[in-house]
RNA sequence: GGGCUCGUGGUCUAGUGGUUAUGACGCUUCCCUUACAAGGAAGAGGCCGGUGGUUCAAAUCCGCCCGAGCCCA
């Protein structure tokens, strides 16, 4: 029996453990008779390199509410958990933890260390997640680096290759010279750095033809002079148009480069003439591709100068910069030099400015199918709908195919070898996967193209997104059946997945790539619906970040508040909108827990062990009213949760429970039970209370389980409230209007007492009500301590004075258009006439009918006592 | 620099063309009524970011500006 104050710490831990022990949330495959009764949730697996972040908690609470709610709708929920340990984050973590460098180890050896380090962090992560009691199926977990996933990832690569959706091409890659690794765009960030601008004189090769002997370019990267492949002028730059089509000679190095017009030149910077190198920045790459320029690689993998730098070869790029500037100065080509601060693209993990390197890369062809991917996006239900536009605009703005190769030591290897003679690619056999070409042999003895028998293994690994975009297939157990010669799924009922919950920050790459991959492999859209949560901000609406020191730690919150309070806070968000962390939001949750606990104690003390058997017809008017209202509330909450409108469900249920049930109904019912041993009230209390626990269960998962088990558990087995069915409507008829009026009368009497500073249990000797409250008279009398309560058959003695006219503008507006202002003015001046017993209003030359206006009256009671207005009813109090 | 989204009492939030803008937290006053003072009752507090426009009518639709978040360059 619930007693004493609610001890959230003990209760929450108890049920978290019990749910695990009982496998409460395990996917019960046997109970799925057709795919429609399985509800599969595919969450993007978090990287485990860091600790659990408050954002994880927020997002997971929302998913968990959906999972719990959907279980109660009779669906078998598949809610797995993945750990994304295949990626640079876990490599860096391993290096940091063990104080080692990946370069010093063989790939397999380093990967082994990664897995050991990650395993520790994953255990901690799991423990943290479990301490929030999420209804995740902990028997269904996966790691993106595990062999089964490696096999799926390599199968995906080979399948796309066989479909002709992949190709290999030499292309620039972003490279970190410090970490000596290729990195992806998302791993870079902008950094303000001090640098120098240099004005450097270039000679024109044919000065006569150009009409000038030299010109000036401005650059922050003079060490790239040896890599210069062109000089650009803006097509609108009239002063320098004479140079276009000419050739320039690069100072110190002497090679000639073309001068070309291109509108990507920033005319405002320096002289407006710019050199293009291999490669200084993104624009250089675009120029290289657009104008088919030469490649002159001047900086190598470790950030040192190559042979194209002549005498500077072997120097670090920083040393080379100083030396080249000094030599330019000596030859007179350095015209000017001044310090500036500018934005540099750096590697987010080490802060080193990135370089660009040219390497063979594998690409997934996407640009040819963007229409299909757009259509796939349209076929999914988006919560909220507006987030589809992010997906849409991302696809519309796509300019490149997807580069999936990374020049890294750790990760999932490409299952590919190349013929040493003709460079033809040889794929692994599907049955042999996963393979590592560095240690495994190719499946053929001789090149199918040229017959050569020496092969070079591919030593690149997959971009992590190439694997983490396969989670729906990983979850459904996608595999290649060698005998049948086709792809199969262990759990085909799970695919397509019903729900993809995730943050809006990863729509453009993660969600998009997942749609692309799954669509290409199966021809189906992988998700029925996508639910996008916003970001968690700090109390001042600022983004949480380690450097700002405003990060909220989940364990600190847990030390301070119950998990259910955090769930209440999270459920207060409008889906897709950012949500600031607010302690008062959690405190409000805590108060609701107390209220629910205390109300449950009261209900428990009022109701017998076994629910009384009562026919609906025997229920009192108030009880019928409460149950009918609760039917409507349950339906409202169901509909809102189905549409992922969490805050509407939460707020509506909270105020119905607190206001209507506790403040209005319970106050009356407790008197009826105590004073009259009222069976109808006892029955209603039990039925309503059970239902409240179920309706609250998806959000307040721990406390509802505690109370449910204390009060309503039956038999010997454990049946969680979270495995019960969402309450069916009782279908009880009630006089809705009379109930509303009765509650309004109670409210008016409360106000009467409050305004006179009377205690709420003060006696009132006589009260008359003019209004429809049939069946509720006794309830009003008892709860408001009224000695004599009578209902009036006719209106009390009232003098009414017309105080104004209210127009129904939704009818008047469209009907009278521009004349509305005249009508308003006429009423304002009092120049109107009410005719036909109030049926017609004559004003400003128009005759308005009864549905277009209402007469505003002030009613004054002239009889004995004081009159109160309660909605439609009139209440007269004689003390 | 571009795109998307958001901006409503002190704080958080509902409201997507109809004039009287929702609720919560906080605040003020009153009430220790045996479930709950982390409670109950009442009350104060907002020209709906700014500006211009469309309309009989704008928090709501459109343009521009400002601020915030995310993505991209």
């Amino acid at each position: 029996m619930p007693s004493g104050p609610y001890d959230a710490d003990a209760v929450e831990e108890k049920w978290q453990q019990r749910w695990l022990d009982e496998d409460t949330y395990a996917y019960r495959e046997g109970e799925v008779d057709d795919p429609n009764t399985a509800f599969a949730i595919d969450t993007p697996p978090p990287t485990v390199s860091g600790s659990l972040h408050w954002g994880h908690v927020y997002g997971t609470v929302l998913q968990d509410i959906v999972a719990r709610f959907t279980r109660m709708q009779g669906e078998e929920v598949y809610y797995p958990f993945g750990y994304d340990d295949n990626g640079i984050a876990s490599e860096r973590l391993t290096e940091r933890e063990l104080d080692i460098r990946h370069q010093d180890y063989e790939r397999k050896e380093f990967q082994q260390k990664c897995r050991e380090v990650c395993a520790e962090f994953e255990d901690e992560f799991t423990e943290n997640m479990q301490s929030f009691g999420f209804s995740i199926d902990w028997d269904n977990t996966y790691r993106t680096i595990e062999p089964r996933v490696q096999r799926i990832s390599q199968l995906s690569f080979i399948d796309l290759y066989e479909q002709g959706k992949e190709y290999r091409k030499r292309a620039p890659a972003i490279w970190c010279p410090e970490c000596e690794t290729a990195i992806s765009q998302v791993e870079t960030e902008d950094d303000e750095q001090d640098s120098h601008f240099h004005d450097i004189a270039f000679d024109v090769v044919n000065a006569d033809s150009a009409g000038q002997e030299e010109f000036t370019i401005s650059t922050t990267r003079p060490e790239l002079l040896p890599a210069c492949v062109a000089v650009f002028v803006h097509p609108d730059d009239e002063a320098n148009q004479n140079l276009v089509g000419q050739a320039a000679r690069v100072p110190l190095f002497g090679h000639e480069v073309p001068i070309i017009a291109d509108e990507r030149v920033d005319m405002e910077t320096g002289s407006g003439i710019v050199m293009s190198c291999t490669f200084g920045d993104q624009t250089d790459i675009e120029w290289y591709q657009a104008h088919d320029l030469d490649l002159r690689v001047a900086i190598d993998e470790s950030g040192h100068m190559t042979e194209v730098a002549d005498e500077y070869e072997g120097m670090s790029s920083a040393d080379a910069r100083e030396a080249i500037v000094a030599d330019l100065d000596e030859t007179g080509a350095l015209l000017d030099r001044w310090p500036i601060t500018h934005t540099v693209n750096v590697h987010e993990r080490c802060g080193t400015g990135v370089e660009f390197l040219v390497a063979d890369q594998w690409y997934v062809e996407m640009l040819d199918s963007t229409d299909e991917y757009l259509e796939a996006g349209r076929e999914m239900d988006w919560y909220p709908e507006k987030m589809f536009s992010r997906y849409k605009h991302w696809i519309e703005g796509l300019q490149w195919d997807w580069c999936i190769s990374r020049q890294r030591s750790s990760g999932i290897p490409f299952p590919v070898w190349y013929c040493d003679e003709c460079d033809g690619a040889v794929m692994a056999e599907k049955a042999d996967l996963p393979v590592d070409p560095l240690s495994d042999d190719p499946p053929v003895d001789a090149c199918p193209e040229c017959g050569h028998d020496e092969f070079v293994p591919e030593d690149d690994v997959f971009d992590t997104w190439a694997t983490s975009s396969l989670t729906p297939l990983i979850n459904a157990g996608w595999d290649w059946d060698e005998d049948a010669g086709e792809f199969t799924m262990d759990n085909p009922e799970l695919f397509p997945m019903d729900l993809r919950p995730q943050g809006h920050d990863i729509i453009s790459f993660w969600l998009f790539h997942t749609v692309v991959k799954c669509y290409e492999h199966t021809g189906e859209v992988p998700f029925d619906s996508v639910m996008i949560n916003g970001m968690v901000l700090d109390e001042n609406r600022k983004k949480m970040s380690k450097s700002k020191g405003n990060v909220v730690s989940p364990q600190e919150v847990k030390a301070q508040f119950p998990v259910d309070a955090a769930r209440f806070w999270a459920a207060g968000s409008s889906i897709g909108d950012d949500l600031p962390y607010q302690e008062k939001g959690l405190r409000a949750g805590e108060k609701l827990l107390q209220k629910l606990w205390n109300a449950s104690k009261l209900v428990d003390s009022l109701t017998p062990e076994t629910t009384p058997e009562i026919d609906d017809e025997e229920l009192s008017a108030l009880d019928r009213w409460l149950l009918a209202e609760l039917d409507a509330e349950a339906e409202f909450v169901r509909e809102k949760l189905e549409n992922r409108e969490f805050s509407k469900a939460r707020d509506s249920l909270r105020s119905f429970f607190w206001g209507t049930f506790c403040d209005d109904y319970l106050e009356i019912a407790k008197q009826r039970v105590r004073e009259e041993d009222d069976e109808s009230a006892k029955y209603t209390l039990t039925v309503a209370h059970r239902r409240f626990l179920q309706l609250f269960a998806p959000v307040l998962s721990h406390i509802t389980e505690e109370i449910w088990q204390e009060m309503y558990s039956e038999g010997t087995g454990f049946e969680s409230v979270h495995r019960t069915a969402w309450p069916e409507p009782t279908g009880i008829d009630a006089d809705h209007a009379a109930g509303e009026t009765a509650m309004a009368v109670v409210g008016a009497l409360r106000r009467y007492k409050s305004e006179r500073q009377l205690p709420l249990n003060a006696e009132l000797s006589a009260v008359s009500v003019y209004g429809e409250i049939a069946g509720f008279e006794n309830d009003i009398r008892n709860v408001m301590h009224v000695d004599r309560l009578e209902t009036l058959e006719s209106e009390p003695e009232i003098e009414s004075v017309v105080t104004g006219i209210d127009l129904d503008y939704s009818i008047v507006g469209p009907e009278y258009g521009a004349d509305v202002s005249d009508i308003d003015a006429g009423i304002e001046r009092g120049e109107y006439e009410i005719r036909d017993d109030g049926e017609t209003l004559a004003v400003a030359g128009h005759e308005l009918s009864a549905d277009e206006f209402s007469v505003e009256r002030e009613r004054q009671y002239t009889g004995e006592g004081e009159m109160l207005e309660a909605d439609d009813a009139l209440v007269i109090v004689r003390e």
Side-chain angles (χ1 to χ4, degrees):
Chain A
M1 300 303 106
S3 65
Y6 178 57
D7 181 358
D9 285 349
V11 166
E12 294 187 339
E13 211 181 308
K14 176 176 71 180
W15 292 114
Q16 286 162 8
Q17 194 53 51
R18 187 79 190 270
W19 292 330
L20 289 175
D21 293 344
E22 301 276 352
D23 278 338
T24 303
Y25 307 119
Y27 176 60
R28 299 176 186 170
E29 201 178 332
E31 296 190 7
V32 176
D33 20 31
D34 78 280
N36 291 329
T37 60
F39 188 90
I41 302 174
D42 179 55
T43 58
T47 53
V48 290
S49 58
S51 42
L52 187 73
H53 181 271
W54 189 245
H56 288 125
V57 174
Y58 168 62
T60 311
V61 168
L62 299 185
Q63 301 161 17
D64 189 50
I65 290 173
V66 174
R68 290 177 186 279
F69 168 72
T70 307
R71 255 182 228 110
M72 294 180 80
Q73 304 303 312
E75 300 206 37
E76 192 51 37
V77 171
Y78 184 82
Y79 187 11
F81 192 80
Y83 306 86
D84 195 12
D85 45 14
N86 163 40
I88 194 160
S90 36
E91 292 172 34
R92 290 289 160 275
L93 173 75
T94 305
E95 291 183 323
R96 212 165 51 231
E97 284 293 305
L98 303 180
D99 195 24
I100 57 173
R101 277 160 50 93
H102 68 84
Q103 292 94 330
D104 300 335
Y105 295 85
E106 299 231 321
R107 185 192 282 177
K108 279 206 161 166
E109 211 179 339
F110 183 70
Q111 288 188 347
Q112 187 54 37
K113 290 186 182 303
C114 281
R115 252 165 269 171
E116 284 161 15
V117 169
C118 285
E120 274 175 48
F121 277 76
E122 283 161 13
D123 287 346
E124 192 188 323
F125 205 94
T126 306
E127 220 170 279
N128 268 324
M129 288 291 283
Q130 291 180 343
S131 76
F132 280 88
F134 299 125
S135 68
I136 289 166
D137 179 358
W138 292 102
D139 296 334
N140 276 307
T141 63
Y142 62 89
R143 281 149 189 79
T144 51
I145 197 71
E146 73 185 34
R148 181 177 78 93
V149 174
Q150 294 213 16
R151 175 176 165 83
I152 290 172
S153 188
Q154 291 185 337
L155 277 174
S156 163
F157 173 78
I158 292 178
D159 185 42
L160 291 183
Y161 179 78
E162 290 175 347
Q163 289 188 41
K165 295 286 295 181
E166 281 167 339
Y167 60 90
R168 189 165 172 246
K169 185 181 149 190
R170 261 177 101 68
I174 306 172
W175 185 268
C176 174
E178 171 66 25
C179 303
E180 294 193 34
T181 180
I183 57 178
S184 63
Q185 178 80 52
V186 295
E187 291 163 280
T188 68
E189 62 185 14
D190 288 342
D191 188 32
E192 289 282 312
Q193 289 189 353
D194 291 328
S195 180
H196 288 86
F197 238 123
H198 307 79
D199 278 355
I200 299 170
F202 276 49
D203 287 336
V204 179
V205 174
N206 191 339
D208 291 343
S209 153
Q212 69 187 84
E213 288 189 354
E214 60 172 38
F215 60 89
T216 308
I217 64 106
S218 300
T219 182
T220 56
R221 307 271 326 254
E223 73 275 19
L224 283 176
L225 230 38
C228 179
V229 287
V231 166
F232 283 95
V233 171
H234 198 283
D236 298 337
D237 183 357
E238 288 171 19
N240 292 310
Q241 280 314 301
N242 56 314
L243 293 173
V244 175
Q246 298 288 326
R249 180 169 290 111
V250 178
L252 297 185
F253 299 92
H255 59 284
E256 293 180 14
V257 296
I259 303 175
I260 306 168
D262 191 291
E263 52 192 25
R264 277 166 279 211
V265 174
D266 178 7
M267 289 169 67
E268 307 300 316
T269 304
S271 60
I273 309 177
V274 63
M275 70 169 178
S276 173
C277 308
T278 308
F279 292 107
D281 60 20
Q282 203 68 38
T283 316
D284 284 342
I285 294 172
E286 289 176 28
W287 279 330
Y288 159 73
Q289 285 164 335
H291 299 280
D292 200 18
L293 301 175
D294 290 342
L295 275 181
R296 288 179 64 89
V297 178
I299 299 176
D300 70 11
E301 290 88 337
S302 63
H304 291 78
M305 306 308 287
T306 66
E307 73 273 5
V308 306
D310 296 342
E311 58 183 288
Y312 307 97
E313 181 182 355
M315 293 171 100
S316 75
S317 59
D319 290 346
R321 175 183 301 192
E322 294 310 314
I324 287 172
V325 169
D327 291 344
L328 284 170
D329 198 16
E330 203 166 294
T331 59
L334 183 68
L335 305 176
D336 203 355
R337 179 176 199 256
W338 68 98
I340 58 153
T341 308
H342 68 154
T343 309
V344 181
N345 216 219
V346 300
H347 186 196
E348 63 178 354
R349 304 199 184 262
C350 66
T352 308
V354 299
E355 298 288 353
F356 296 90
L357 216 71
V358 179
D360 284 323
Q361 311 279 5
W362 279 97
Y363 288 84
V364 174
E365 197 166 21
M366 297 194 306
L367 294 176
D368 60 331
S369 308
T370 49
D371 288 349
E372 286 168 71
Y373 303 148
L374 204 52
E375 187 50 36
R378 273 200 195 91
E379 283 176 24
M380 300 188 285
D381 291 328
W382 290 76
Y383 299 97
E385 263 176 76
K386 66 188 177 191
M387 287 297 172
F388 171 66
S389 61
R390 295 218 180 169
Y391 178 93
K392 180 167 173 264
H393 284 98
W394 173 256
I395 291 180
E396 286 170 351
L398 269 185
Q399 288 182 21
W400 319 101
D401 284 330
W402 178 14
C403 176
I404 54 165
S405 45
R406 294 290 179 266
Q407 295 69 42
R408 289 240 188 84
S409 60
S410 185
I412 300 178
F414 280 74
V416 186
W417 296 260
Y418 305 103
C419 172
D420 197 24
E421 186 65 34
C422 73
D423 205 34
V426 173
M427 296 286 142
E429 289 292 338
K430 294 196 193 79
D432 296 340
L433 303 177
V435 301
D436 183 351
L438 293 186
S439 49
D440 297 322
D441 289 326
V444 292
D445 295 327
C447 173
E449 297 292 323
C450 69
H452 187 73
D453 63 357
E454 294 279 317
F455 294 93
V456 181
E458 172 63 87
D459 63 356
D460 283 3
V461 297
F462 291 137
D463 171 22
T464 60
W465 305 109
T467 303
S468 47
S469 57
L470 292 166
T471 53
L473 299 177
I474 294 168
N475 282 319
W478 187 67
D479 203 356
W480 172 256
D481 184 333
E482 189 65 29
D483 297 333
E486 61 179 21
F487 285 101
T488 55
M489 287 187 196
D490 292 342
N491 290 81
E493 81 280 8
L494 298 177
F495 190 88
M497 300 256 149
D498 294 85
L499 175 69
R500 167 64 171 233
Q502 59 161 71
H504 60 57
D505 51 336
I506 55 173
I507 293 174
S508 48
F509 48 105
W510 203 333
L511 176 64
F512 170 66
H513 286 147
T514 306
V515 172
V516 169
K517 278 263 202 167
C518 296
Y519 179 78
E520 294 299 346
H521 290 308
T522 67
E524 288 189 86
V525 182
F527 306 114
D528 291 343
S529 69
V530 188
M531 177 174 88
I532 303 294
N533 63 265
M535 301 289 116
V536 176
L537 309 175
D538 75 359
E539 306 218 37
N540 302 312
R541 276 200 167 275
K542 296 281 179 251
K543 183 189 177 181
M544 285 187 188
S545 71
K546 275 186 188 158
S547 55
K548 275 192 222 151
N550 60 351
V551 173
V552 171
S553 137
Q555 291 308 320
E556 278 171 31
V557 178
K558 249 179 69 67
Q560 219 181 333
F561 294 100
V563 170
D564 282 347
R567 296 177 65 91
F568 176 84
W569 162 80
S573 69
S574 193
I575 197 67
D577 285 357
D578 293 346
L579 185 68
Y581 173 81
Q582 294 268 340
E583 286 204 349
K584 49 192 164 196
L586 283 101
R587 239 177 272 125
E590 222 176 351
K591 284 168 76 169
L592 177 59
L593 298 181
Q594 294 290 3
K595 191 73 180 176
L596 180 57
W597 182 253
N598 287 321
S600 299
K601 281 198 295 187
L602 177 61
V603 170
D604 192 37
S605 73
L606 295 173
T607 54
E609 196 73 4
T610 46
T611 312
E613 299 265 334
I614 286 196
D615 274 352
D616 289 354
E617 288 72 32
E618 296 172 43
L619 293 172
S620 80
L622 178 71
D623 296 331
R624 304 169 65 84
W625 176 76
L626 193 263
L627 292 176
E629 296 290 305
L630 186 53
D631 275 356
E633 183 63 26
E635 175 54 22
F636 181 85
V637 171
R638 193 193 61 74
E639 187 189 309
K640 294 302 150 192
L641 287 181
E642 199 140 274
N643 293 328
R644 319 305 183 216
E645 296 175 284
F646 302 105
S647 68
K648 286 179 187 171
R650 183 196 80 159
D651 292 345
S652 169
L653 181 58
R654 177 189 179 278
S655 60
F656 183 74
F657 170 74
W658 202 305
T660 305
F661 183 69
C662 293
D663 294 340
D664 293 341
Y665 179 78
L666 207 38
E667 289 297 327
I668 298 172
K670 77 178 175 193
Q671 282 183 315
R672 284 169 52 200
V673 172
R674 282 177 181 158
E675 292 166 18
E676 301 156 31
D677 198 31
D678 188 314
E679 293 288 306
S680 171
K682 289 188 211 168
Y683 171 85
T684 306
L685 280 170
T686 308
V687 171
H689 182 250
R690 283 178 63 106
R691 283 168 180 247
F692 275 117
L693 291 178
Q694 292 180 297
L695 300 187
F696 273 123
V699 177
L700 309 178
S701 52
H702 299 79
I703 192 172
T704 50
E705 184 79 298
E706 170 73 10
I707 300 170
W708 184 266
Q709 296 302 331
E710 286 284 324
M711 291 175 64
Y712 303 119
S713 73
E714 291 165 10
T716 48
F718 171 72
E719 201 208 15
S720 169
V721 67
H722 301 294
R723 281 279 182 181
T724 62
W726 193 256
E728 289 287 323
T730 61
I732 290 173
D733 276 332
D735 190 339
H736 173 80
E740 288 293 293
T741 307
M743 292 307 128
V745 169
V746 170
L749 291 174
R750 274 200 204 116
R751 206 172 309 121
Y752 175 86
K753 293 182 179 180
S754 178
E755 278 165 3
R756 281 157 190 74
Q757 308 199 342
L758 297 167
L760 279 179
N761 61 354
E763 293 286 329
L764 297 174
S765 52
V767 170
S768 307
V769 176
Y770 174 65
E772 188 47 62
I773 53 164
F776 294 87
E777 297 90 339
N778 275 337
D779 298 320
I780 297 171
R781 205 166 51 78
N782 288 334
V783 76
M784 282 291 110
H785 301 267
V786 177
D787 198 27
R788 280 176 295 124
L789 183 103
E790 57 167 353
T791 52
L792 301 173
E793 293 299 318
S794 57
E795 198 169 354
E797 308 114 70
I798 282 177
E799 283 178 2
S800 71
V801 182
V802 174
T803 53
I805 301 289
D806 272 339
L807 296 179
D808 183 345
Y809 287 93
S810 62
I811 302 172
V812 173
E815 177 71 23
Y816 300 98
D819 289 351
V820 170
S821 54
D822 293 341
I823 295 173
D824 276 336
I827 292 170
E828 182 69 23
R829 286 194 300 270
E831 296 168 359
Y832 61 87
E833 195 181 335
I834 300 168
R835 295 177 188 157
D836 307 332
D837 206 16
E839 290 298 305
T840 308
L841 175 75
V843 59
H846 293 288
E847 295 210 338
L848 277 63
S849 55
D851 58 336
E852 292 173 331
F853 72 97
S854 60
V855 180
E856 206 176 89
R857 299 170 195 274
E858 194 159 287
R859 297 186 279 197
Q860 279 179 339
Y861 178 59
T862 53
E864 186 194 346
E866 181 154 353
M867 191 189 76
L868 316 170
E869 297 196 36
D871 281 2
D872 298 337
L874 297 174
V875 180
I876 294 156
V877 184
R878 286 182 287 263
E879 284 189 49

